[in-house]
Amino acid sequence: MQVEPIINARFKQFKVKNELENIVESVAFEKFVNYTIFSLHQPDAFTVDSELLDFVSVGGSADMGIDGLAIKVNDIIIKSKEDIDDIIKFNSKKRINVEFLFVQSKYKTNYDKGELNNFVDGVRDFLSDVHNFPMNDEIKSHLELKEYLLSDDLSLMWETNPKITLYYVTMGRWKEPEDLIGIKKQFEKDISILNIYDQTKLTFVDSELLKEYYDSIQNTFNTTIETRHIMPLTDVTGVTNSCLSIVYGTELLKLISSDGMIRKSLFNDNVRDFQGANPVNSEIHNTIKTSPEKFIILNNGITIVCDEFIQNNTKISIFNPQIVNGCQTSHIIYEANKLGIDLTNVPISIRFISTTDEEIVNEIVRGTNRQNIVLEEAFETTKKFHKDLEEFFVAYTQDYDTIYYERRSKQFQNNPTIKQTEKINLRVLTQYYVGMFLNKPHSAHRHESILLKDYNTSIFQDFHSKLPYFVASYTFIKFEKFLRENYVDRKIKSYKPHILMMFRQSIAGYVPSFSKENLIDSHSKTVLDFVSDEKKANNRFFEIIELFDKSMNKWENELGKSRRGTKDVESFTIHLLKEVNNKYPISENKDRKSVSNVFTGTALSSIKDKYGDYFGYISKEPDNIFYHIKDNRQIDFNTIKGKRVIYEIIPDEKGLKEKAKIIKII
């Protein structure tokens, strides 16, 4: 088969980065297409964690002609009912937008009428109330989510009826054959008759468009736009070039959209995604509609960081751009165009900054977004702890297989020597550290912003050793490699945090207090040395998976508990710990304390009681915690007020309440 060489090169690059060289070519191509198409809709959807890509790749026996299936809720690809509930919980308006995405991909150069018919028939069956086609377990999982979203309770929360988007992808060239266009029109008509869905769209993707999509999500594209009144900015060390210019809305669209879709990957370095029709954004939209000439004086404008830009009279060519400030403005310009509003006379101020210095980019992201109301957790990876952790990974992997902490989205995308399977990002690090080292795998599936709030005193603390974070990441990557190379029941992948907790527990026992650096480092090193021996680690992975299956059966058959929802149940976690401790008994250090028992806070007060003894309170959510001199004889109560402290929680004399024992002042 003669395949267009450029897109074939992109496909081969993808296989190498994701270590898919040894699987069937057609299956690898399906994953490549699913990764590309779904990343257009959510650029950060796929990381080193293969679970989501596996989840949306539904091709195989009884696949209804569908190779890729994703459900978006408020622009987030979801894989569980809990994901949906979390999105609703943290949405102040309690409103949702739903979109169903379907992909059929063929690693050949021609479009086939029969294959297209199978595809649209399968999608039609999936969207209907009654199902006649056989479907595999992967599609059934999505069907459960679809029915949950279409239930009476959730349908009341829809902003609009769900959207339906289909992609039929081949490696050939699209020449608009009438019979295929006729199938498309008939399908769109059939779906409209259901009166549940709207904005149905079927796109035929050929090799040229697939290449454009892939380059767009990698941000390896360039474009040229017309500008007005270009003014150079002052020289800054580390900045190759910079200028301020005026760009009209129609020209901005050339940069921010492709094939009618907004380039979401342009906003990877923004601290916030598009916030929708909030009061500020509604005001921006109103200005575009009623007073376009005033837009430039009422709007803060856009900041674009790029590898390079070249000015040629009034034109600017931009290479590998990122919009680090102006996500809201860009999306509203895009939405206004979709509504047919004329953008010809909408002037926008844009700062173009050419630099490859990561620290400068980081400063720009913080500086340009501080003027807006931004949740602090959005800046989490800009903190010193994460910068030091990134350097720690580099230093520590000199003695082990190399892995990288990718603090910022797509930080290493231009380095071809770094594989996708060698990288860890904030989401994976947070989720698997919580699951593996805090023994909270039942919480690990939650979004990282939720985990950062819920465990704000237990993770990424300045006094923490970096080694446990490295070990959690290293073990995760080794387990991912194990899963790629060995057949494991697909359902096990939903319990990866549980498996890794059991794995760590079987090797080193309970985690010591994080305030005891020598103990926690010794514990972590024991796990690291074990997992670095691949043969020994793989044998233990097999043993733990077998033990997990037995524990699940015992939970259901002997203890009479329900298997359903066990992934999120804390008592199931406790059950697993008990089972792994029985099989792998390890003598515990007497100084061991619960890993979730050590916190940081601020001493809010230092007061004398009627007996002359000092007491006070330390800041803690949701209620401040009491401390007393009799538990803290080493502390100078005259100077402690207002200082940050590390403390552990201990019971009072009656065992009914909690109080703080201060370990040290930071």
Side-chain angles (χ1 to χ4, degrees), residues 569-597:
V569 176
E570 185 172 13
S571 56
F572 182 64
T573 297
I574 296 170
H575 169 66
L576 293 177
L577 286 170
K578 181 179 178 181
E579 294 299 307
V580 77
N581 288 336
N582 288 338
K583 183 173 177 60
Y584 303 95
I586 296 173
S587 59
E588 304 296 345
N589 190 298
K590 293 180 181 179
D591 201 24
R592 175 180 63 81
K593 296 181 176 67
S594 170
V595 295
S596 59
N597 214 30

Side-chain angles (χ1 to χ4, degrees), residues 326-339:
C327 177
Q328 310 306 310
T329 297
S330 299
H331 277 77
I332 292 165
I333 290 288
Y334 171 77
E335 294 293 336
N337 178 67
K338 284 175 60 178
L339 293 172

Side-chain angles (χ1 to χ4, degrees), residues 363-582:
E363 289 176 17
I364 294 169
V365 170
R366 289 187 70 89
T368 55
N369 285 283
R370 275 299 186 192
Q371 59 192 298
N372 302 317
I373 300 173
V374 177
L375 297 177
E376 186 58 35
E377 58 262 26
F379 293 113
E380 175 65 39
T381 58
T382 67
K383 294 177 181 176
K384 185 177 184 298
F385 182 91
H386 293 275
K387 179 183 175 182
D388 292 344
L389 189 61
E390 180 186 342
E391 294 176 358
F392 182 90
F393 271 50
V394 173
Y396 219 80
T397 51
Q398 292 178 9
D399 297 324
Y400 299 92
D401 293 343
T402 302
I403 62 172
Y404 299 87
Y405 177 32
E406 192 171 42
R407 272 193 310 128
R408 298 176 60 253
S409 178
K410 297 187 181 293
Q411 182 176 343
F412 302 120
Q413 72 168 8
N414 294 321
N415 187 340
T417 67
I418 300 177
K419 294 182 178 180
Q420 186 72 7
T421 51
E422 295 174 334
K423 295 185 287 186
I424 287 288
N425 66 2
L426 176 67
R427 179 175 71 83
V428 172
L429 177 60
T430 303
Q431 291 176 334
Y432 284 87
Y433 183 81
V434 166
M436 185 175 171
F437 272 87
L438 297 190
N439 288 356
K440 304 289 185 182
H442 48 277
S443 298
H445 68 282
R446 309 293 293 276
H447 192 276
E448 66 269 25
S449 63
I450 297 172
L451 294 177
L452 288 169
K453 287 179 180 178
D454 289 349
Y455 297 97
N456 67 318
T457 58
S458 303
I459 56 177
F460 306 132
Q461 299 297 301
D462 290 337
F463 69 90
H464 278 182
S465 166
K466 306 295 189 298
L467 188 54
Y469 295 91
F470 177 83
V471 173
S473 304
Y474 194 82
T475 307
F476 170 81
I477 282 180
K478 290 296 184 182
F479 188 51
E480 285 286 291
K481 185 173 186 287
F482 168 84
L483 292 175
R484 287 194 300 273
E485 296 176 352
N486 297 278
Y487 173 75
V488 173
D489 190 326
R490 189 164 184 160
K491 293 176 182 176
I492 286 292
K493 294 183 179 181
S494 297
Y495 291 91
K496 284 191 290 187
H498 298 75
I499 300 295
L500 293 190
M501 176 196 71
M502 296 172 72
F503 178 83
R504 181 204 51 71
Q505 189 80 12
S506 75
I507 297 164
Y510 281 101
V511 181
S513 167
F514 287 113
S515 65
K516 308 291 185 180
E517 188 168 347
N518 290 338
L519 290 178
I520 189 64
D521 279 356
S522 175
H523 179 95
S524 302
K525 189 70 164 54
T526 299
V527 179
L528 181 58
D529 288 342
F530 191 101
V531 78
S532 61
D533 184 331
E534 186 167 323
K535 183 177 180 181
K536 191 160 66 170
N538 286 350
N539 287 338
R540 183 59 59 90
F541 285 141
F542 274 120
E543 291 175 10
I544 292 297
I545 289 171
E546 183 180 7
L547 178 60
F548 176 86
D549 284 337
K550 289 180 179 178
S551 301
M552 178 66 84
N553 290 333
K554 183 176 180 179
W555 172 265
E556 186 175 26
N557 299 323
E558 294 183 28
L559 301 179
K561 306 280 189 177
S562 172
R563 179 184 291 258
R564 190 175 183 83
T566 47
K567 183 180 69 173
D568 314 318
V569 176
E570 185 172 13
S571 56
F572 182 64
T573 297
I574 296 170
H575 169 66
L576 293 177
L577 286 170
K578 181 179 178 181
E579 294 299 307
V580 77
N581 288 336
N582 288 338

Side-chain angles (χ1 to χ4, degrees), residues 231-236 241-245 350-353:
M231 181 183 75
L233 300 177
T234 55
D235 291 340
V236 177
N241 203 359
S242 61
C243 72
L244 178 66
S245 67
I350 299 183
R351 286 192 298 169
F352 294 97
I353 301 172

Side-chain angles (χ1 to χ4, degrees), residues 17 350 355 646:
K17 280 195 169 186
I350 299 183
T355 181
I646 301 170

